[in-house]
């Protein structure tokens, strides 16, 4: 396993955050003398409630306040909350390598439940991408055209 310098780590973490949509600002930390109520943030587009959670690579992501079945959320927007002792109460981890069962509950990124036109378009594109990945490929996609050419040459 390689170690990265601080500059390289920040570049890598920022690129990963951009790809995963973890571009939320951190939650404000109240001071020891601060007794004001901190309201949960709301989406500027749909005015729905959002929750900011730290990721496992020190960036923040806005997630929906409630879980949803995995079959309803495109794979790009599926997150889980993991309990990490002594760091935060929960850390958001994107479910990139694992495929949950259709009925398993996941925490969707806010964009997956947002009703703004841009968010709806992005979610539909992600759904179509999931469908394309799940459909069988055409025979030529497997290189069968090349195999047919070899058969013709080899008799």
């Amino acid at each position: 396993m390689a170690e990265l310098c601080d500059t390289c780590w920040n570049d890598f973490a920022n690129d990963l955050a951009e790809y995963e949509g973890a571009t939320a600002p951190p939650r404000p930390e109240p001071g020891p003398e601060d007794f004001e109520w901190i309201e949960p943030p709301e989406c500027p587009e749909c005015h729905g409630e959002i929750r900011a959670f730290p990721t496992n690579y020190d960036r923040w992501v806005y997630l929906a306040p409630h879980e949803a079945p995995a079959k309803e959320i495109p794979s790009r927007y599926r997150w889980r909350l993991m309990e990490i002792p002594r760091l935060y109460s929960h850390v958001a981890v994107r479910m990139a390598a694992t495929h949950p069962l259709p009925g398993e509950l996941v925490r969707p990124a806010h964009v997956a439940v947002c009703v703004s036109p841009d968010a709806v378009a992005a979610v539909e594109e992600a759904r179509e991408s999931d469908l394309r990945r799940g459909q069988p490929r055409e025979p030529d996609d497997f290189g069968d055209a090349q195999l047919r050419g070899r058969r013709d040459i080899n008799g």
Side-chain angles (χ1 to χ4, degrees):
M1 190 178 244
E3 286 190 38
L4 300 175
C5 67
D6 288 342
T7 303
C8 293
W9 165 250
N10 281 322
D11 288 346
F12 173 75
N14 289 338
D15 290 346
L16 183 59
E18 188 70 34
Y19 174 77
E20 291 187 342
T23 57
R27 281 190 303 226
E29 289 294 323
E33 303 286 322
D34 193 4
F35 292 104
E36 286 185 34
W37 179 259
I38 298 174
E39 291 290 330
E42 68 176 32
C43 175
E45 299 291 325
C46 71
H47 303 292
E49 183 181 341
I50 52 180
R51 303 265 172 98
F53 288 96
T55 64
N56 56 331
Y57 49 91
D58 298 327
R59 300 302 183 267
W60 290 74
V61 63
Y62 284 136
L63 300 182
H66 303 289
E67 294 180 325
K71 66 182 176 186
E72 296 176 8
I73 307 299
S75 61
R76 179 178 175 85
Y77 301 113
R78 294 177 188 156
W79 291 78
R80 282 242 166 92
L81 294 179
M82 307 297 286
E83 205 168 324
I84 306 292
R86 295 191 209 133
L87 287 179
Y88 303 100
S89 58
H90 289 93
V91 173
V93 178
R94 194 167 83 81
M95 299 177 62
T98 61
H99 298 287
L101 295 173
E104 261 186 89
L105 295 178
V106 297
R107 184 67 67 122
H110 172 72
V111 71
V113 297
C114 187
V115 294
S116 78
D118 292 341
V120 170
V123 171
E124 284 306 312
E125 184 178 316
R127 272 198 180 94
E128 289 173 11
S129 176
D130 284 354
L131 288 173
R132 281 193 303 270
R133 265 186 273 140
Q135 291 185 358
R137 297 179 183 171
E138 295 296 319
D140 284 39
D141 289 348
F142 290 112
D144 287 349
Q146 292 175 345
L147 289 176
R148 279 195 301 270
R150 286 189 201 148
R151 281 190 217 124
D152 292 343
I153 293 171
N154 294 331

